[in-house]
Amino acid sequence: MPNSIVILDFGSQYTQLIARRIREQNVFSAIVPFHTPADEIRGMTPRGLILSGGPSSVFEQGAPRCSPEVFRLGVPVLGLCYGLQLMAYELGGRVRPATRREYGRAQLDITSESALLAGLPRTIPVWNSHGDEVEELPQGFRTVGRTANAVAAIEDASRGLYALQFHPEVHHTPDGPRILRNFVFDICQACADWTPASFITETVKRVGERVGDGHAVCALSGGVDSSVAATLVDRALGARLTCIFVDNGVLRKDEFKAILPLLREQLKLNVIGVEASARFLAKLAGVTDPERKRRIIGNEFIRVFEEEALRLGPIEYLVQGTLYPDVIESVSVKGPSATIKSHHNVGGLPADMNLELIEPLRDLFKDEVRRVGRELGLPERILKRQPFPGPGLAIRILGEVTAERLEILREADAVLLEAIRSEGLYDKVWQSFAVLLPVRSVGVMGDQRTYAYTIAIRCVTSEDGMTADWAPLPHELLGRLSNRIVNEVRGVNRVVYDISSKPPSTIEWE
Ligand code: XMP
């Protein structure tokens, strides 16, 4: 994509953050694996490149290296942390394990004029996280900034090569946005043309060209992503798009009944509802493995779509609301950002699918999707819906999914959601839901011994689902929730609150 910044991922936990920081300047940025061939990168016609940090040492065997040609593509390159060490090493400098490793806050002294550090005070706080340091600069390079123990900013402006030992992308480097702006606008000469409006125009045009006079179906769930994806494609195809909302048997309480009219009336989409619970539940019988559940649901989903597509007449395309984090988490860059879960949007699709995929949101983060949705005029009620996973309650029932367990979880989840809404918390948290644990424990109700299930309440705050914190719900609310769930939901005698963050946990329990 012209006018973009391409980020080579060497496995840093901050790689996505770099992409977000660039996009916040209204410049498109894409993450590619570190081993992407130089020709492929050239083909993307970027304005500049960023080499991310990473956990390796450049002199380790098997350390990730990019093609050396990357430094000769004729566009500016900014190396960050490991990216700095790699740049120094590859271009003939020397790197060694640091005499003093630097983690956390540090102070950068800017020792020379530099386009990258222009407009900053002489000394700024920065965030460090490195165990190696540059011992000798490659020819042509000079040092423009230092921290107490290391060379921290180097450049060879004549070749457009810049590198920082610290992390300008993290919050703890308050001047980071200015540094990235200097790189993107002054050094790379990119222009700020990546806005929700331009994304919409571009996407509608691209989808229109690709589909021609073909027909598409869209998997609609009433969530933000699929609603935005459907609305975008609807603008390109109009009546040639049919949206399908499938009741897969693992939806929340009353979801199918409540959402269908909302989608028809408010989004003015051409939507059909398909009640397919029984076939999904039959396929899930006896299955306990989380990834198998995902695959089964992904597969069955596509089968339902193929059948509907056959019924509707010739249909060639399937629209899905896959997002960028799904793509990165599922189709992982080798080594860096290892695969954690196969998200059904991406990983769970059958290989022999007859429909071609259209994923108009594949490049976007969740908050960007919301902005695009707002620009498209979608109602806040849809834009503010909490994310709900494709495999639904199946991955919130640990162990086998049965009708009895589904009933228990639905009721407990409905009590929780109602309370979260009435407390005004629904929009403040990323997700709030109940999880059914497969353990039974002993309790006592009305002088009777009980032996029943445990419900875990999960409520997290997050910016994009990639990391998350457990929400500190008031104790009084937790008490009320526990009371209500145990009293109102038959089969539950214990409620626990999940106080784990991501990482090291994940948001969903499976
Ligand atoms: P985790 O559990 O990986 O979840 O921390 C991150 C975000 O992704 C959602 N999620 C899924 N969405 N299919 C989906 O469409 C899936 O298989 C899936 N697994 C997790 C989860 O709800 C959270 O918002």
Side-chain angles (χ1 to χ4, degrees):
M1 197 171 187
N3 199 45
S4 66
I5 301 292
V6 167
I7 300 160
L8 265 62
D9 180 19
F10 291 90
S12 167
Q13 52 177 328
Y14 301 132
T15 302
Q16 295 207 24
L17 205 53
I18 307 173
R20 296 175 60 90
R21 294 288 171 261
I22 304 295
R23 289 168 179 217
E24 279 163 15
Q25 312 298 333
N26 294 332
V27 173
F28 183 67
S29 66
I31 300 171
V32 299
F34 65 88
H35 48 70
T36 306
D39 273 346
E40 204 174 301
I41 299 174
R42 192 179 286 115
M44 297 167 86
T45 60
R47 287 275 173 179
L49 302 180
I50 296 182
L51 314 182
S52 83
S56 317
S57 282
V58 282
F59 30 76
E60 264 169 23
Q61 254 219 323
R65 301 234 157 85
C66 55
S67 150
E69 254 192 86
V70 157
F71 300 107
R72 298 190 293 268
L73 288 177
V75 295
V77 183
L78 171 63
L80 301 179
C81 195
Y82 177 81
L84 171 140
Q85 291 149 17
L86 185 75
M87 189 186 282
Y89 187 81
E90 286 287 340
L91 297 174
R94 282 231 299 267
V95 178
R96 65 177 175 202
T99 36
R100 274 209 188 172
R101 296 162 13 137
E102 292 186 307
Y103 292 101
R105 279 172 218 285
Q107 193 162 290
L108 174 77
D109 291 319
I110 300 174
T111 51
S112 296
E113 287 285 307
S114 157
L116 187 63
L117 304 173
L120 300 176
R122 302 291 301 174
T123 306
I124 58 166
V126 296
W127 188 257
N128 258 326
S129 164
H130 66 104
D132 297 337
E133 64 184 9
V134 175
E135 188 183 5
E136 203 179 297
L137 297 189
Q139 237 182 5
F141 273 76
R142 63 188 185 115
T143 301
V144 293
R146 303 187 57 89
T147 46
N149 302 308
V151 166
I154 60 172
E155 64 182 45
D156 176 352
S158 67
R159 284 191 281 171
L161 303 176
Y162 301 80
L164 302 171
Q165 185 55 81
F166 58 91
H167 291 278
E169 69 276 25
V170 306
H171 199 63
H172 302 293
T173 302
D175 291 298
R178 173 67 201 249
I179 298 174
L180 292 174
R181 271 203 302 277
N182 286 345
F183 179 68
V184 169
F185 296 118
D186 298 335
I187 296 174
C188 298
Q189 307 267 301
C191 41
D193 63 356
W194 200 70
T195 60
S198 69
F199 173 82
I200 294 168
T201 316
E202 263 306 300
T203 308
V204 169
K205 186 167 140 238
R206 243 196 349 239
V207 171
E209 282 167 5
R210 173 157 171 222
V211 176
D213 53 12
H215 292 75
V217 283
C218 175
L220 201 53
S221 69
V224 186
D225 311 341
S226 61
S227 302
V228 172
T231 309
L232 274 170
V233 176
D234 181 68
R235 291 218 175 159
L237 305 187
R240 284 178 293 122
L241 170 71
T242 308
C243 299
I244 304 179
F245 186 7
V246 179
D247 185 350
N248 57 8
V250 285
L251 297 178
R252 282 181 142 157
K253 187 178 176 185
D254 295 334
E255 187 82 345
F256 193 61
K257 275 194 296 209
I259 294 298
L260 213 48
L262 182 73
L263 297 172
R264 284 188 182 132
E265 286 148 29
Q266 300 228 7
L267 300 190
K268 309 264 181 289
L269 291 169
N270 169 22
V271 191
I272 54 172
V274 179
E275 213 298 292
S277 320
R279 57 191 279 187
F280 279 86
L281 297 186
K283 284 263 158 52
L284 285 169
V287 177
T288 55
D289 175 66
E291 288 298 283
R292 255 193 87 202
K293 289 181 188 172
R294 280 194 167 78
R295 278 196 302 276
I296 288 172
I297 293 171
N299 258 290
E300 204 53 22
F301 204 69
I302 295 301
R303 299 299 165 228
V304 169
F305 266 78
E306 285 175 345
E307 286 167 28
E308 288 304 313
L310 268 183
R311 227 174 35 79
L312 289 166
I315 303 246
E316 305 84 19
Y317 296 92
L318 169 66
V319 182
Q320 273 206 326
T322 314
L323 303 193
Y324 203 38
D326 303 335
V327 176
I328 299 182
E329 278 200 353
S330 296
V331 190
S332 132
V333 174
K334 183 181 148 283
S337 332
T339 301
I340 299 162
K341 297 176 187 180
S342 66
H343 283 199
H344 125 101
N345 277 340
V346 185
L349 299 181
D352 62 345
M353 187 170 84
N354 287 327
L355 298 163
E356 265 186 64
L357 273 185
I358 299 181
E359 297 174 312
L361 311 178
R362 231 184 129 78
D363 287 330
L364 302 192
F365 292 103
K366 190 93 183 179
D367 49 333
E368 296 174 323
V369 174
R370 288 211 170 98
R371 281 204 291 280
V372 168
R374 211 156 273 137
E375 182 79 24
L376 284 166
L378 262 56
E380 288 296 310
R381 181 153 170 221
I382 295 233
L383 294 177
K384 292 209 168 135
R385 290 191 91 207
Q386 292 179 1
F388 185 71
L393 302 185
I395 55 165
R396 294 179 180 172
I397 292 175
L398 277 73
E400 189 185 356
V401 180
T402 63
E404 180 217 5
R405 288 176 171 190
L406 271 168
E407 173 69 19
I408 294 175
L409 179 58
R410 275 201 181 106
E411 293 304 319
D413 187 60
V415 170
L416 170 69
L417 265 196
E418 187 200 304
I420 291 285
R421 279 211 171 91
S422 66
E423 295 286 319
L425 291 171
Y426 184 85
D427 295 342
K428 298 207 170 87
V429 297
W430 172 263
Q431 271 172 306
S432 42
F433 56 88
V435 180
L436 179 74
L437 307 190
V439 282
R440 288 179 200 243
S441 68
V442 174
V444 53
M445 271 174 115
D447 295 333
Q448 295 276 353
R449 177 186 190 272
T450 58
Y451 188 55
Y453 285 116
T454 302
I455 286 288
I457 297 174
R458 184 72 165 142
C459 188
V460 296
T461 54
S462 174
E463 208 185 328
D464 54 17
M466 302 300 295
T467 59
D469 287 320
W470 59 275
L473 293 187
H475 287 180
E476 179 275 327
L477 171 61
L478 287 171
R480 244 185 311 134
L481 278 170
S482 163
N483 216 313
R484 277 195 60 190
I485 292 174
V486 171
N487 281 322
E488 294 174 29
V489 184
R490 208 169 255 282
V492 177
N493 66 356
R494 197 173 290 273
V495 174
V496 295
Y497 189 51
D498 182 351
I499 50 168
S500 328
S501 292
K502 173 183 179 177
S505 298
T506 53
I507 296 176
E508 304 289 347
W509 276 49
E510 286 196 334

